Amino acid sequence: ESTSITPFFFVLFPGVDPTSTIEALGHKLGFTEVNGKLVNISMGQGQETVALNALNKFATMGGWIMLQNIHLMQAWLKQLERALEVVEEFAHDDFRCFLTSEPPGVMQGRLWDLIPEPILQRCIKVSDEAPTDLKSNLRRAYSKFSQESVDACLKPKEFKATLFALCFFHALISGRIKFGAQGWSKKYPFNDG
């Protein structure tokens, strides 16, 4: 679905990080940090110039760029908006841009109050919020492990039991988040990274 002029915009929720998925897909298609065709920049103070230079470089030569946590750089987002407009004119067919941002908090309003609307309109938006019921959480946790990794274990019986316990615990804790921080059910930063 994506093209060189259509970035992906990932809305981040607790326990969800698209980085490993994007890196795995890039590896499969020949875009890795090792061969210089993938760059992952965690946005923060001083990263503005680095990000814009990398954006222009990969738009020209072809490659993937991932700009994480752009919600932290609200003053800079107008420059990013303009840079995305400019690279549309000459973007290489292999160019892809991935943006990530946390959703706004209750006091911050809507997402388009946090991120400029033209950026959101240009992007394919991906929201991967963790499910709230136990069965869906358990399936989601299990999906992170391939049959090959289970088969490769020297002690498959013990591994399967431990894997089930870990996935069940994760599913139970993830499902308890909907009840708020009551007693032992505080949020915990476990993710599949």
Side-chain angles (χ1 to χ4, degrees):
E1 285 185 40
S2 77
T3 64
S4 59
I5 60 171
T6 309
F8 284 95
F9 184 88
F10 290 90
V11 181
L12 304 175
F13 289 96
V16 178
D17 184 11
T19 305
S20 58
T21 306
I22 292 169
E23 288 176 346
L25 179 62
H27 182 73
K28 183 179 172 183
L29 298 175
F31 296 91
T32 64
E33 289 183 281
V34 174
N35 68 14
K37 291 190 174 187
L38 171 70
V39 67
N40 185 348
I41 301 171
S42 184
M43 297 307 294
Q45 189 173 9
Q47 295 300 310
E48 301 93 336
T49 306
V50 173
L52 290 176
N53 290 340
L55 184 74
N56 287 320
K57 174 186 171 189
F58 284 106
T60 304
M61 296 173 32
W64 291 8
I65 181 169
M66 184 169 189
L67 303 177
Q68 296 197 50
N69 301 317
I70 64 169
H71 62 281
L72 300 175
M73 309 294 293
Q74 289 183 344
W76 174 75
L77 290 177
K78 289 291 184 188
Q79 291 178 34
L80 175 62
E81 177 186 333
R82 179 68 184 136
L84 289 172
E85 286 176 14
V86 170
V87 299
E88 268 186 19
E89 304 298 323
F90 61 88
H92 191 279
D93 288 340
D94 290 337
F95 172 67
R96 294 296 183 273
C97 180
F98 303 91
L99 308 171
T100 70
S101 172
E102 289 183 1
V106 176
M107 302 303 289
Q108 292 174 309
R110 302 170 303 235
L111 184 60
W112 53 88
D113 293 334
L114 187 64
I115 307 296
E117 194 171 344
I119 291 178
L120 293 174
Q121 289 175 344
R122 176 176 280 113
C123 294
I124 295 173
K125 289 154 283 301
V126 180
S127 174
D128 192 16
E129 189 171 9
T132 57
D133 65 294
L134 184 64
K135 187 175 182 181
S136 297
N137 269 317
L138 192 55
R139 279 189 178 144
R140 182 185 178 120
Y142 262 127
S143 74
K144 304 299 179 186
F145 300 92
S146 67
Q147 186 61 42
E148 291 81 29
S149 65
V150 174
D151 294 341
C153 184
L154 298 176
K155 296 183 178 183
K157 187 176 180 181
E158 291 85 354
F159 182 76
K160 288 178 184 177
T162 305
L163 179 62
F164 174 77
L166 175 66
C167 290
F168 185 80
F169 177 73
H170 175 63
L172 184 66
I173 297 299
S174 296
R176 297 282 307 163
I177 288 174
K178 67 183 173 187
F179 299 109
Q182 300 173 357
W184 62 273
S185 64
K186 294 184 176 171
K187 290 186 181 185
Y188 78 118
F190 181 86
N191 64 30
D192 57 286

